[in-house]
Amino acid sequence: MFQVDAFASRVFGGNPAGVVPLAAWLPDRFMQAIAAENNVAETAFFVPATGVARGAADFHIRWFTPTIEIDLCGHATLASAHVLFRHLGFKADRVRFSSHSGPLDVFRQDDRLVLDFPSRPAHTVTAPTGLADALGAHPTEVRVARDLLVIFDTEETVRLLTPEMSRIAGLDAFAVIVTAPASTPGVDFVSRFFAPRAGVPEDPATGSAHCTLIPYWAARLGRAKLHALQVSPRGGELFCEHRPASAPGSDDRVYIGGQAVTYFEGAIHI
């Protein structure tokens, strides 16, 4: 097992992810127990792709929070690619994972790793009852994709939010993303991410949230390349790009780039 701080250039920053390379899948109950024991936002498990699947992907990947399996996780995918490139001798410049959310590529770009992920644009909805009370502030707009996307006017408002997690967990959404235009020089937008229903009260740096944030901010700001900060207590820095569909019938994609650093490696005994 490895633990990697993703979307960070130093240890104790970004988002810690457990990474467990496997020769074959463990029973689900063991993977869930390992994730609970690790008690970080997500633990990724991957196995080599074999047979026919080997032509479409290099590895299959799954992600577990301390309480549930989830359909998509960015920082633990970035961490898994880091482990493959840095520790396990994977020689190519791009690795492809197959997942519950389809094919996911990670490629090297200078000193960063870049996720090639699906775009998940959100549509406008009426703010759910109790949302403002749960967050402690009234948003200017609310949208929804997998997660609620809650928009505020200022970076300061997002930084100062002290949400009531029990109320956030009671909302009809997997998680809540809060975001605002950045006042930090050189940064386009900031965000935070709350997912208490999934056992993650506040996630430090969330790749999957940017599948929704990037199309929103690219449209609002009128440009494809964006610099983002996740202003959690640990903080995360993400370099983003909106990638329109390359051919009729294909879907938009997003690029989410960042650095990663290994915190520890060891062995699990079960």
Side-chain angles (χ1 to χ4, degrees):
M1 175 183 162
F2 300 81
Q3 186 167 308
V4 174
D5 290 338
F7 298 117
S9 58
R10 56 174 178 80
V11 293
F12 310 125
N15 200 350
V19 178
V20 184
L22 298 170
W25 292 121
L26 295 171
D28 286 8
R29 68 182 186 278
F30 283 145
M31 292 190 285
Q32 187 63 74
I34 290 168
E37 188 81 2
N38 290 343
N39 201 32
V40 294
E42 277 87 16
T43 297
F45 301 83
F46 62 80
V47 301
T50 57
V52 174
R54 182 65 182 83
D58 301 298
F59 299 91
H60 304 295
I61 191 167
R62 296 170 67 182
W63 313 273
F64 291 78
T65 78
T67 58
I68 61 170
E69 183 175 7
I70 59 172
D71 68 333
L72 184 65
C73 178
H75 84 281
T77 305
L78 193 85
S80 297
H82 169 81
V83 167
L84 283 161
F85 291 136
R86 180 70 180 271
H87 299 286
L88 300 183
F90 191 81
K91 299 300 184 185
D93 288 330
R94 180 182 293 259
V95 58
R96 170 163 289 190
F97 298 98
S98 66
S99 76
H100 291 308
S101 293
L104 306 172
D105 286 8
V106 188
F107 60 91
R108 307 188 218 210
Q109 186 179 76
D110 301 323
D111 63 341
R112 299 176 194 154
L113 297 176
V114 180
L115 303 169
D116 180 348
F117 265 33
S119 175
R120 287 179 165 176
H123 62 273
T124 302
V125 294
T126 302
T129 302
L131 176 64
D133 290 338
L135 291 171
H138 288 273
T140 58
E141 185 181 357
V142 179
R143 298 187 175 206
V144 69
R146 180 194 69 174
D147 312 313
L148 285 173
L149 178 65
V150 184
I151 298 125
F152 291 96
D153 286 333
T154 68
E155 176 177 326
E156 182 181 26
T157 300
V158 169
R159 286 183 178 272
L160 295 178
L161 290 175
T162 55
E164 292 186 37
M165 292 301 169
S166 60
R167 291 191 173 190
I168 295 290
L171 297 170
D172 185 19
F174 176 79
V176 174
I177 309 164
V178 296
T179 190
S183 56
T184 300
V187 179
D188 294 301
F189 67 90
V190 299
S191 68
R192 293 170 69 188
F193 183 85
F194 310 111
R197 288 177 65 173
V200 185
E202 179 166 5
D203 198 35
T206 315
S208 64
H210 286 75
C211 295
T212 299
L213 287 160
I214 292 169
Y216 171 79
W217 285 106
R220 176 166 165 176
L221 299 178
R223 61 180 182 274
K225 293 186 178 182
L226 303 160
H227 185 195
L229 292 181
Q230 193 154 329
V231 290
S232 63
R234 288 176 63 100
E237 184 177 25
L238 304 94
F239 299 88
C240 308
E241 184 177 355
H242 182 244
R243 305 279 296 186
S246 58
S250 62
D251 297 321
D252 291 357
R253 305 287 291 180
V254 295
Y255 283 179
I256 309 164
Q259 294 178 297
V261 58
T262 303
Y263 172 60
F264 78 73
E265 57 182 294
I268 298 170
H269 299 271
I270 55 174

